[in-house]
Amino acid sequence: MGKAVVVAVNGERYEAAGVDPSATLLEFLRTRTPVRGPKLGCGEGGCGACVVLISRYNPATDEVTEFSASSCLTLLRSVDRCSVTTSEGIGNTSYGYHPVQQRLAGFHGSQCGFCTPGMCMSIFSALVKVDKEASRPDPPPGFSKLTTSEAEKAVSGNLCRCTGYRPIVDACKSFAADVDLEDLGLNCFWKKGDEPADVSKLPGYNNGAICTFPEFLKSEIKSLMENTCSPPVAVSNGGWYHPKSIEELQRVFNSNWFDENSVKIVASNTGSGVYKDRDLYEKYIDIKGIPELSVINRNSKGVELGSVVSISKAIEVLSDGNLVFRKIANHLNKVASPFVRNTATIGGNIIMAQRLPFESDIATILLAAGTTVTIQVATKRLCLTLEEFLQQPPCDSMTLLLSIFIPDWGSDGITFETFRAAPRPFGNAVSYVNSGFLARTSVDAASGEHLIKDICLAFGAYGVDHAIRARRVEDFLKGKLVSSSVILEAVQMLKETVTPSKDVTHPEYRISLAVSFLFTFLSSFTSSFNEPVKVNVTNGSYTNGTTNGSTEYSPEEHRNTDSYDLPIHSRQEMVFSNEYKPVGKPIRKTGAELQASGEALYVDDIPAPKDCLYGAFIYSTHPRAYVKGINFKPSLASQKVITVITAKDIPSGGENIGSSFPRMGDEALFADQLAEFAGQNIGVVIAETQSYAYIAAKQAVVEYSTENLQPPILTIEDAIQHSSYFSTHPFLTPKPVGDYNQGMSGADHKILSAEVNLESQYYFYMETQVALAIPDEDNCITIYSSTQFLEITQNVVARCLGIPFHNVRVITRRVGGGFGGKAMKAMHVACACAVAAFKLQRPVKMYLDRKTDMIIAGGFKKYNWGALAFDIKVCKTNVTSKSTMRAPGDVQGSFIAEAIIEHVASTLSVDTNTIRRRNLHDFDSLAVFYGESAGDASTYSLVSMFDKLASSPDYQSRATIVEYFNSNNKWKKRGISCVPITYEVNLRPSPGKVSIMNDGSIAVEVGGIEIGQGLWTKVKQMTAFGLGKLCPDGGECLLDKVRVIQADSLSMIQGGFTGGSTTSENSCEAVRQSCIELVERLNPIKESLEAKTGTVEWSALVAQASMASVNLSAHAYWTPDPTFKSYLNYGVGISEVEIDVLTGATTILRSDIMYDCGQSLNPAVDLGQVEGAFIQGVGFFTNEEYMTNSDGMVIHDSTWTYKIPTVDTIPKQFNVELINSARDKKRVLSSKASGEPPLLLASSVHCAMREAIRAARKEFSVCTGPTNSTVTFRMDVPATMPVVKELCGLDIIERYLESLNAGPTTTKA
C-alpha cells in the first residue's frame, strides 16, 4: 500500500502503514491512537466536535504554521509529516489541565460534554493564532492578545445543544485583554458580587506553553529534504498521488493509472462535507503541493490567488487592501466556520459552484467584483470571466482551475456592497440569497443626484444552478439618475430575472430578498428618501439599535448601533443557602475538566473489542410499500459488505421489537415484508469498519411494490379524513374543567375558531445514537448503549432475542445529549446490534451517521390545532414514529395558550399583558386545575414574579423605547413580550446505593443516567450531605471522595428512565435514604470513638467500622409520598427582539428570565439547565425547520439544512434570576426541577416577534391572512426568516416606492 504516513499526535510519533487512502484524520485518531477527544458529530464540518490543531513545518524558513481543522473532513494522507494536537494534548489528567479546559469547566461551560473538547480546541487555536501576531501589543499577564469580539467568534462554528452558549462565551472572553472581568458570569473562581474579579484568580495562561510541533519531526523533515535528490515519479503511493507540478499532474491524467470513476482529486476534501461520497475511491490525487496553485500575486491591477489558497489565507490577503477587497474579505468571514475556512480552498468553492448546484457565496461576490479565472484543459490554458466559466457545461475532473484574479477597482466613484440572508449572522449557514453589487457613479451637478455610469449586479443561492448577473437590470440602470421611480422599475425588472427553480423552498421569499438587497443598495445613492437604508452588513441584518441591559435608554443610541454586532452580556442573580451544605453550593459539574480534555468516555470511545464488526441501517424511502428484496450496486463499497441483518435474523423465540414503553405499545425493529413509513429500518449492513458500513449502506437498492396497497396517510388531515386513529388511553385524556358551552354562551366577544401550527423539532444531541453489543457465554449479551431508558432497553433487547432479562446487561456511563431522543430510538440501535452480535457471535457496534439519525429519529409530534377542545384523538399516519422531546406537549400547550391570549388582546385592542394578568390563576383556581400538584399557597410564586417583571419601571421604560423606536424606523421594528409559565412535573420511584470503601472513598450508584443535566453532581453533593453528620465539617470533606459510577441494568434494578426533569432529585432522595441507613450504622462507632479521642476523622471512622464488620453499603428504593407525586414549577420570561423588515432576520436583543428553582440543589447546574432549555426553545420557536418531502421523508437531514441556535443567535443581553420560593418539606430538600420548564419561556421570543411584525404590518398596512387584519394574524412555529418576511409583506418595497411616486407623502425620519 505504499509508504507509511507519519504523523505526530500530541508530541508522539505515529506511523500508519497500509492505511486506506479514503481514511480521515478523525478515523485514524480514534482507531489507531489512544486519542478520543475529537468526536464524530456530523461528518460534515458543521458542528466542531472533531476540531483539532494541525501544525505544518517549513524547513526553508524554519517556521511552524498552525490552524484549526475539521478532522472528520481532513484525509489522513494529506497531513503526512504534520503535527496534530487534540484536547488531550493541551491538558489531561496525568499532566494537568490547560487553562482553556479549566476555565471552561470553571465557568460551567460543559454539560453533556460531547462538544467540549472541540470547543476547547477552537478556543486554543484562536489563542495560538492571535498570540503569534507580532503587530499586536503584548497583553497584560494572564491574558492573551484576543479581543472580546474575537473571543465571542472563536466558537462561532461549534455547536452545543446543552448550555445555551453563554458560559462558553464567558470562558472565551476571560482570555481577552480588553475584557471587564466583572461582566463575566457565574464561575468557580470568585463569588460574584462578594469578591472582586481578578485575573490572578483565574487559571494562569502563558502563551507558548504547549509545543505544537515536536523537534523530532522537524529533524525528520529536514533529513528527507536533504536526501531527496529528484522529484517523485508519476506513480501511485498506496492509492495516494501528490504531484509537484502541473506537468506531472498532466502525465497522471494521461496515464493508465487515471480512471475518472475511481480517482478523486482533492485539495482539502471539505467539499465532501457538502456532497457526500457515494462510493469508495481507490485512488486520490492531492493537488495542494503544486506550487503554481498556491500563488499570491498582488500588483496595481489587482490580486491573483492560486486555486488552492485557503479561504482564511484569502481573507488575510484581501483584508489588507482597498474598499472592494476589504468588503470581499468581510463577506468571506461569513462563509462556513473558522476551522473549515482554514483548509477549504477558494478554487474548490468555485469549482463546486460550476459543477454542482452549490449555493456559493464566494462565486457570487467574486462575480460582482469582475473576477476572471485561469483554467487548464489538457495542455491549453484559458482565461475566462467568472461569468463565462460558470455558464459553461459542468467541467470534468481533468479541467484544472489554476487561479482567480480580482481586479483593483480603486476608490474613485466606486461603491461595492455584498449581502447575504442566512439563519446565522456569523456564517456556518447557507444563504437563502446572496448578492454582490459594484457601481461606478458620479454626482450630477444640476440635481445633486447620483448618476450610474456602470454597474454589476450579481445574485446567487436563490435556487438556480449558479450565480448570475442581472444583465437586463444593469443595462436599464446605466446612465440613469437614481430616483424612487428608477429603483421601482429596476426592482420590478429584477423580479422577472430572479426566478427560483420549482423545487426550491420559499421561492417568493427569495425573490423578495433579491429585491430588498437591490433596494438597499440603490437607495444609498439617492437623497429622495428621508430614511435611507443602512448598507453596511453582509448577513441580512441591517440593525440600527440595541438595548444595553440598563434602565436608562437613549433613543439616539438605539438608532445608531448595529444590534447584530453587539457584544454578549449577561447577569445572573441567585441566593445561595448553607442549610444543607454542600448541597446548595454552585460547585462545578462533576467530570467537567475530564470532558474538556476529551478523556471522558462515551460509548463510541470504548476501545473496539477483538473481531468487532460495524453496522449501518438500511431504511425505507417509501411511506407504505412491500419490501421485495435488498440488492447492492456494483461498486467498491458494496465489496465491503459482510452480511445484511433483517427481521429474518431475529432468533427463534424472539420478537420483532425495536422499542416499547408501558401503556404505549411496541414498535417493530425491522420492516418485515411491509414498510409502514419512510425512514423505517429494513435491515443493517455489516462491515469491517464503521466508515465502510456507512458507505456500503448507500449502495443498497431496495425493491418495493405498492400493489394492492392503499395510499399512505401522511398528514393529520389525511388521518382525520380516513378516521385513522390510535386508541387513546384514559390517562392521556385531559379532564375538562368548568362548563365550556356555558362560558361561550355568556361571552361578550367570541373567537369561534383559529389555527395554530407547530412543526416538529429534531433533538440534535451532539452524540448520535450508538450501541456496542458483545456476546457472552450461555446466551448472555452485554450492551453499551447511549440511552435514557436503561431498564426498558434491557427488557426490549431480551424480548427481541427471546432470552431471560437477566441474560442482558446494559451499561451506560454517560450520554452525549438526550432531550428525550435517547429513549425510544436508542432501543432500536441496541436491539439491532444485539441481533447482529447474536447471529454472528462477534461484537457489533453501530454509531449512526447524522443523516440516518435525523431520518429515523422522527423528532417530537407536529401539532396542528383547530378549535381548542377536549375531544382528543391521536392520529395514525405513515410517517416516522415520533418520540418525546424536552417538555413534550407542555411547550405546545403553553404556546397555544399564549396564542389565544395574543389573539384576544389584538381583537379587543387591549394590552396583551393586561389580558395575561387577568388570566393568571389565583391559588384557588390553581388548585381546581391542578389538584394536589398545586401544593401549599405559600409556594405559589407566579403572580408575584409576573408583577415584578411586567409591572416594573424597567419593563415600562423598555416598552416605551420600543414604541419610540418603531415610530422612528421604517425598516426595523421591535417587539417586547412577557410570558408566564406553569409546569407540572412528576416524581418517580428511584433506586440508590451508597458504598463506602475501606480507604474512605465512596462509590454511588443510581438509576438515573448522566445526560448532561448534572445528575452526578447533585448526587455527589447529596451523598456528602447525607453522610455529613458523621464528619466534623458537615460533609464538605467528602465531596472529593465520592464517585458516581456508571448505570448497570444488572447491578441497579428498577432504575426506571431518565426524563421528566425530576430524575436528579429522585436519585438524590434515594441516595439520601441510603445515607441515613449508613449513618445509623456508623453513628454508634463514631460516638464511641468521640468518647475516647474527641473529634473523629472520616478515615478513622471508616477503618474502625471496617474492623467491626459493619456493612458499609446501603441500598434504598425511594418511592414518593402517595399524597405528593407531582408539583408545579413557575417562571416568567421577557424577551425583546428586533426584526429586519427587509429580510425577516431576527435579533434577540435581550431576554430576562425569572425562574422559581425552590431551594436549588446546585444553583450553577440549575442555571445551566435554565439557559440551555431556553436557547433550545429559541431554536424551536424561531429557526429549526424539520422539513419532509411528499413521502414524509425528512429532507432537512444534516447540519447544512437543519440549523440549531449558535453563539451568534442567542440574546445579546441574557439575564437569569433564580428565586428561592417558600420551603416545602414534601419536595427533596425543598428543591425544584429545572430541566424542562424554562424551555417554555422561549415563547416570549416568538410573542415579541409577533409584536414587532404587528408594528411592521401597521406601518405598511399589510392585511394578509384569513382575518384580513394588520394586527391579528396566524404566526406558525418555527417563525423562520421566510415566515417573518412574509408576514411583514413580501411586496412592501414595491408598495413603498409606488407610494413615493404617487405624490408627496409624509415619511418617518
Side-chain angles (χ1 to χ4, degrees):
M1 293 291 289
K3 72 173 185 178
V5 177
V6 175
V7 183
V9 178
N10 299 330
E12 296 293 324
R13 188 181 190 278
Y14 288 89
E15 190 169 317
V19 66
D20 192 305
S22 65
T24 64
L25 174 59
L26 179 64
E27 187 179 356
F28 168 76
L29 291 173
R30 294 186 61 79
T31 60
R32 297 210 182 190
T33 79
V35 165
R36 293 295 181 269
K39 313 288 187 191
L40 179 61
C42 67
E44 300 167 342
C47 74
C50 69
V51 171
V52 298
L53 185 79
I54 297 177
S55 305
R56 295 186 188 277
Y57 176 62
N58 185 338
T61 61
D62 195 30
E63 290 180 338
V64 174
T65 304
E66 298 102 343
F67 55 91
S68 59
S70 287
S71 59
C72 72
L73 299 179
T74 304
L75 294 172
L76 174 62
R77 286 189 176 270
S78 71
V79 293
D80 188 22
R81 312 291 165 175
C82 290
S83 177
V84 177
T85 306
T86 73
S87 52
E88 297 99 327
I90 66 171
N92 53 62
T93 310
S94 301
Y95 298 102
Y97 296 109
H98 190 274
V100 166
Q101 297 162 335
Q102 293 172 314
R103 293 191 192 185
L104 198 64
F107 277 96
H108 310 291
S110 181
Q111 289 188 22
C112 88
F114 199 82
C115 73
T116 310
M119 290 283 183
C120 286
M121 291 313 298
S122 285
I123 301 169
F124 177 74
S125 300
L127 296 175
V128 169
K129 179 184 176 183
V130 298
D131 284 338
K132 290 185 76 171
E133 294 183 17
S135 60
R136 298 194 182 211
D138 290 333
F143 293 105
S144 72
K145 295 181 180 179
L146 209 63
T147 66
T148 52
S149 176
E150 291 168 333
E152 287 183 7
K153 295 177 182 178
V155 293
S156 60
N158 295 73
L159 301 185
C160 173
R161 195 53 148 168
C162 298
T163 65
Y165 298 101
R166 194 276 311 161
I168 297 173
V169 170
D170 280 351
C172 292
K173 292 200 291 191
S174 75
F175 290 95
D178 61 344
V179 71
D180 182 350
L181 292 176
E182 295 289 356
D183 282 346
L184 302 183
L186 180 70
N187 61 77
C188 295
F189 308 116
W190 57 78
K191 191 172 181 181
K192 290 275 291 181
D194 294 344
E195 301 175 22
D198 191 273
V199 69
S200 64
K201 297 178 181 179
L202 291 170
Y205 170 70
N206 293 308
N207 170 33
I210 303 296
C211 174
T212 58
F213 206 98
E215 289 298 323
F216 72 80
L217 193 54
K218 290 181 181 180
S219 300
E220 281 191 35
I221 293 171
K222 290 176 181 176
S223 177
L224 280 173
M225 292 291 292
E226 292 168 359
N227 296 328
T228 302
C229 55
S230 61
V233 292
V235 294
S236 164
N237 174 29
W240 187 270
Y241 186 64
H242 200 279
K244 299 299 182 184
S245 68
I246 292 173
E247 292 73 25
E248 193 178 332
L249 177 61
Q250 289 299 324
R251 291 200 298 272
V252 175
F253 284 160
N254 296 327
S255 70
N256 293 331
W257 186 87
F258 184 78
D259 174 4
E260 191 168 357
N261 295 321
S262 63
V263 176
K264 184 176 183 181
I265 301 171
V266 295
S268 66
N269 198 50
T270 53
S272 65
V274 190
Y275 299 100
K276 312 293 190 303
D277 290 341
R278 300 299 302 177
D279 194 4
L280 291 171
Y281 289 93
E282 286 184 305
K283 305 162 187 173
Y284 286 75
I285 300 175
D286 183 0
I287 62 173
K288 207 156 190 178
I290 300 176
E292 189 173 344
L293 304 185
S294 298
V295 297
I296 298 174
N297 291 325
R298 192 172 198 158
N299 55 41
S300 60
K301 294 181 179 180
V303 173
E304 181 188 18
L305 298 172
S307 60
V308 302
V309 170
S310 71
I311 298 174
S312 291
K313 186 64 178 177
I315 293 170
E316 181 185 325
V317 172
L318 295 172
S319 294
D320 185 23
N322 63 26
L323 177 67
V324 174
F325 294 143
R326 292 198 306 273
K327 294 256 181 175
I328 293 173
N330 186 47
H331 195 111
L332 293 183
N333 262 317
K334 307 294 190 300
V335 173
S337 55
F339 46 82
V340 172
R341 293 195 295 267
N342 289 339
T343 55
T345 63
I346 199 90
N349 188 286
I350 293 172
I351 282 288
M352 283 203 301
Q354 201 276 341
R355 288 179 181 161
L356 303 160
F358 176 57
E359 302 96 335
S360 169
D361 274 51
I362 294 176
T364 303
I365 60 173
L366 292 183
L367 178 60
T371 301
T372 57
V373 299
T374 302
I375 63 173
Q376 180 155 330
V377 183
T379 58
K380 186 177 181 181
R381 292 197 177 192
L382 301 172
C383 184
L384 307 171
T385 67
L386 181 55
E387 183 181 26
E388 291 171 336
F389 182 58
L390 294 174
Q391 289 174 343
Q392 287 188 341
C395 59
D396 62 24
S397 60
M398 290 188 289
T399 297
L400 186 64
L401 175 61
L402 301 177
S403 64
I404 65 168
F405 178 78
I406 311 168
D408 189 332
W409 290 90
S411 57
D412 188 19
I414 293 294
T415 302
F416 181 72
E417 294 296 342
T418 70
F419 300 85
R420 72 191 305 266
R424 294 170 178 161
F426 287 173
N428 204 22
V430 174
S431 303
Y432 288 109
V433 174
N434 52 45
S435 61
F437 308 137
L438 188 148
R440 176 175 280 114
T441 64
S442 63
V443 178
D444 179 66
S447 64
E449 296 291 349
H450 281 263
L451 175 71
I452 296 178
K453 294 182 176 180
D454 199 5
I455 191 167
C456 176
L457 307 173
F459 296 89
Y462 61 86
V464 285
D465 290 341
H466 54 76
I468 59 110
R469 283 182 63 175
R471 289 282 187 178
R472 184 166 166 238
V473 184
E474 291 173 3
D475 292 341
F476 165 75
L477 288 170
K478 288 175 185 176
K480 296 280 196 313
L481 289 172
V482 182
S483 65
S484 59
S485 59
V486 168
I487 296 175
L488 176 60
E489 195 166 345
V491 298
Q492 289 172 337
M493 202 175 290
L494 180 65
K495 291 170 73 173
E496 299 171 4
T497 304
V498 175
T499 53
S501 59
K502 293 180 180 179
D503 59 345
V504 73
T505 59
H506 314 299
E508 296 300 322
Y509 168 66
R510 293 173 193 261
I511 295 171
S512 180
L513 276 177
V515 168
S516 294
F517 292 158
L518 182 60
F519 168 71
T520 301
F521 182 68
L522 294 178
S523 66
S524 65
F525 294 118
T526 177
S527 59
S528 61
F529 302 141
N530 289 336
E531 186 192 13
V533 181
K534 300 180 95 178
V535 192
N536 59 353
V537 183
T538 64
N539 67 352
S541 179
Y542 319 100
T543 312
N544 52 5
T546 179
T547 54
N548 59 8
S550 167
T551 56
E552 297 179 5
Y553 296 95
S554 164
E556 288 71 25
E557 288 179 9
H558 278 260
R559 297 174 59 190
N560 295 323
T561 308
D562 287 315
S563 64
Y564 89 101
D565 244 348
L566 287 171
I568 295 170
H569 292 292
S570 66
R571 186 183 74 247
Q572 302 86 40
E573 294 183 21
M574 59 199 72
V575 177
F576 304 132
S577 171
N578 288 322
E579 184 177 359
Y580 305 114
K581 68 177 185 179
V583 169
K585 293 185 65 175
I587 68 170
R588 78 185 66 196
K589 182 183 180 294
T590 297
E593 289 175 330
L594 204 66
Q595 292 172 176
S597 70
E599 295 169 288
L601 290 182
Y602 300 82
V603 173
D604 192 46
D605 297 330
I606 298 170
K610 184 176 181 294
D611 297 328
C612 188
L613 297 173
Y614 299 82
F617 279 126
I618 299 171
Y619 49 80
S620 170
T621 56
H622 287 246
R624 183 170 168 79
Y626 291 115
V627 178
K628 309 297 287 184
I630 302 174
N631 297 298
F632 289 87
K633 302 171 188 174
S635 64
L636 288 171
S638 296
Q639 298 172 21
K640 304 298 182 181
V641 176
I642 292 176
T643 189
V644 177
I645 303 295
T646 66
K648 297 181 178 64
D649 296 298
I650 293 173
S652 175
E655 304 175 45
N656 184 10
I657 179 174
S659 62
S660 178
F661 194 74
R663 296 193 290 182
M664 299 296 286
D666 302 338
E667 184 177 345
L669 174 59
F670 296 120
D672 190 3
Q673 298 184 334
L674 178 66
E676 295 280 2
F677 53 87
Q680 185 175 13
N681 306 327
I682 295 175
V684 176
V685 170
I686 301 297
E688 289 285 352
T689 71
Q690 189 66 72
S691 59
Y692 284 164
Y694 288 153
I695 202 159
K698 296 178 183 179
Q699 312 306 306
V701 179
V702 181
E703 183 183 351
Y704 299 98
S705 171
T706 56
E707 187 177 354
N708 300 324
L709 281 178
Q710 292 294 320
I713 295 171
L714 298 174
T715 66
I716 293 172
E717 291 77 12
D718 285 347
I720 294 171
Q721 182 180 345
H722 292 87
S723 298
S724 178
Y725 303 115
F726 288 101
S727 58
T728 306
H729 293 279
F731 80 97
L732 290 176
T733 305
K735 296 178 182 178
V737 178
D739 191 322
Y740 171 80
N741 292 324
Q742 181 181 344
M744 287 297 287
S745 63
D748 294 330
H749 302 273
K750 297 181 178 68
I751 300 173
L752 297 179
S753 67
E755 189 170 296
V756 178
N757 188 54
L758 299 99
E759 291 292 338
S760 185
Q761 184 183 24
Y762 171 56
Y763 309 96
F764 216 106
Y765 28 65
M766 292 301 296
E767 172 201 44
T768 58
Q769 303 284 2
V770 57
L772 167 63
I774 305 174
D776 204 345
E777 64 183 21
D778 196 23
N779 275 346
C780 292
I781 192 166
T782 298
I783 298 173
Y784 296 89
S785 174
S786 179
T787 179
Q788 295 175 242
F789 283 20
L790 189 82
E791 180 186 6
I792 304 173
T793 299
Q794 176 196 37
N795 301 350
V796 171
V797 169
R799 288 173 58 191
C800 183
L801 298 180
I803 58 179
F805 287 8
H806 70 213
N807 280 26
V808 179
R809 184 185 187 193
V810 181
I811 297 173
T812 302
R813 180 171 297 183
R814 59 173 61 82
V815 171
F819 320 112
K822 296 290 180 66
M824 310 301 284
K825 297 300 181 181
M827 297 183 212
H828 287 254
V829 181
C831 287
C833 283
V835 171
F838 230 58
K839 177 182 179 180
L840 302 172
Q841 283 302 296
R842 289 174 66 176
V844 174
K845 180 191 282 188
M846 288 181 68
Y847 184 35
L848 302 195
D849 63 274
R850 183 62 67 177
K851 178 185 177 77
T852 301
D853 194 282
M854 295 188 77
I855 286 172
I856 74 166
F860 63 71
K861 290 187 182 298
K862 171 181 173 178
Y863 290 75
N864 194 320
W865 292 75
L868 185 61
F870 288 119
D871 182 15
I872 301 297
K873 288 183 170 62
V874 182
C875 296
K876 185 177 183 179
T877 62
N878 295 109
V879 295
T880 312
S881 59
K882 307 299 180 184
S883 185
T884 58
M885 188 170 175
R886 202 173 197 171
D890 291 88
V891 64
Q892 292 83 7
S894 175
F895 172 74
I896 290 164
E898 292 305 323
I900 293 170
I901 292 289
E902 299 259 355
H903 196 131
V904 169
S906 62
T907 301
L908 299 178
S909 299
V910 176
D911 176 65
T912 309
N913 278 351
T914 301
I915 302 296
R916 284 197 177 99
R917 182 63 178 82
R918 288 183 179 178
N919 281 274
L920 284 182
H921 285 293
D922 59 22
F923 183 74
D924 291 337
S925 67
L926 187 79
V928 170
F929 272 82
Y930 289 102
E932 292 182 347
S933 297
D936 298 330
S938 62
T939 65
Y940 182 44
S941 56
L942 183 60
V943 174
S944 61
M945 285 195 294
F946 187 83
D947 287 345
K948 182 178 178 180
L949 286 184
S951 302
S952 67
D954 177 72
Y955 182 84
Q956 301 304 322
S957 174
R958 291 169 62 190
T960 301
I961 291 291
V962 166
E963 187 176 347
Y964 178 88
F965 180 91
N966 290 341
S967 67
N968 286 275
N969 288 270
K970 185 178 292 294
W971 307 111
K972 295 277 190 278
K973 297 297 176 185
R974 289 186 178 169
I976 188 170
S977 183
C978 182
V979 169
I981 59 113
T982 300
Y983 193 101
E984 184 177 20
V985 297
N986 296 288
L987 299 169
R988 301 188 307 274
S990 185
K993 181 181 179 182
V994 179
S995 303
I996 304 172
M997 306 291 119
N998 287 341
D999 65 347
S1001 60
I1002 304 161
V1004 180
E1005 293 180 76
V1006 292
I1009 306 296
E1010 175 60 63
I1011 58 176
Q1013 82 281 47
L1015 181 149
W1016 282 5
T1017 311
K1018 290 181 176 180
V1019 164
K1020 188 174 181 178
Q1021 289 174 275
M1022 185 63 82
T1023 304
F1025 165 72
L1027 297 176
K1029 294 178 182 177
L1030 300 171
C1031 300
D1033 67 351
E1036 293 200 51
C1037 66
L1038 300 182
L1039 275 174
D1040 292 336
K1041 298 182 182 296
V1042 179
R1043 176 180 291 277
V1044 185
I1045 62 176
Q1046 62 194 15
D1048 184 328
S1049 63
L1050 292 183
S1051 176
M1052 184 61 64
I1053 65 167
Q1054 297 177 285
F1057 62 89
T1058 298
S1061 297
T1062 58
T1063 306
S1064 292
E1065 60 201 89
N1066 297 333
S1067 298
C1068 280
E1069 186 59 17
V1071 165
R1072 192 170 76 92
Q1073 298 295 332
S1074 299
C1075 289
I1076 289 172
E1077 187 174 335
L1078 286 170
V1079 169
E1080 288 178 355
R1081 296 177 195 167
L1082 292 171
N1083 209 43
I1085 296 176
K1086 175 177 177 282
E1087 291 174 351
S1088 174
L1089 288 172
E1090 284 177 335
K1092 297 176 182 176
T1093 62
T1095 302
V1096 179
E1097 295 298 325
W1098 172 253
S1099 57
L1101 174 62
V1102 172
Q1104 186 64 31
S1106 180
M1107 290 177 61
S1109 300
V1110 173
N1111 183 357
L1112 293 179
S1113 181
H1115 178 282
Y1117 186 69
W1118 176 72
T1119 57
D1121 184 333
T1123 65
F1124 191 81
K1125 291 185 176 181
S1126 58
Y1127 63 83
L1128 301 180
N1129 296 266
Y1130 311 107
V1132 180
I1134 295 177
S1135 288
E1136 183 179 349
V1137 305
E1138 181 175 291
I1139 64 168
D1140 185 332
V1141 178
L1142 294 176
T1143 67
T1146 299
T1147 302
I1148 307 174
L1149 299 174
R1150 178 174 166 182
S1151 289
D1152 297 84
I1153 296 171
M1154 184 178 289
Y1155 185 70
D1156 181 354
C1157 227
Q1159 305 295 309
S1160 173
L1161 299 177
N1162 183 316
V1165 167
D1166 287 333
L1167 172 67
Q1169 290 293 288
V1170 170
E1171 292 179 333
F1174 181 82
I1175 297 302
Q1176 193 171 65
V1178 167
F1180 170 64
F1181 282 110
T1182 67
N1183 217 37
E1184 297 183 35
E1185 281 189 293
Y1186 201 37
M1187 294 186 69
T1188 58
N1189 63 15
S1190 58
D1191 288 328
M1193 174 75 84
V1194 173
I1195 55 175
H1196 279 189
D1197 56 9
S1198 69
T1199 58
W1200 279 88
T1201 50
Y1202 191 83
K1203 299 299 181 184
I1204 70 170
T1206 44
V1207 69
D1208 49 349
T1209 54
I1210 68 173
K1212 297 300 181 181
Q1213 176 80 32
F1214 196 8
N1215 304 325
V1216 178
E1217 180 179 355
L1218 302 182
I1219 71 164
N1220 290 10
S1221 60
R1223 286 169 170 73
D1224 189 337
K1225 292 185 178 180
K1226 293 180 181 178
R1227 300 197 306 264
V1228 177
L1229 299 188
S1230 295
S1231 66
K1232 279 193 169 188
S1234 60
E1236 292 174 303
L1239 190 145
L1240 278 59
L1241 295 172
S1243 65
S1244 63
V1245 173
H1246 194 276
C1247 292
M1249 292 169 68
R1250 183 191 293 272
E1251 295 294 333
I1253 292 169
R1254 185 175 287 122
R1257 288 167 69 92
K1258 289 180 181 178
E1259 174 87 46
F1260 296 101
S1261 301
V1262 176
C1263 296
T1264 56
T1267 61
N1268 198 33
S1269 164
T1270 59
V1271 295
T1272 305
F1273 50 91
R1274 169 180 157 182
M1275 184 174 167
D1276 291 341
V1277 173
T1280 58
M1281 291 173 69
V1283 169
V1284 172
K1285 174 61 175 166
E1286 184 174 346
L1287 289 173
C1288 290
L1290 294 173
D1291 62 347
I1292 55 174
I1293 289 174
E1294 298 91 309
R1295 290 167 55 192
Y1296 171 66
L1297 292 171
E1298 287 168 355
S1299 70
L1300 292 179
N1301 294 330
T1305 58
T1306 301
T1307 58
K1308 294 176 181 178

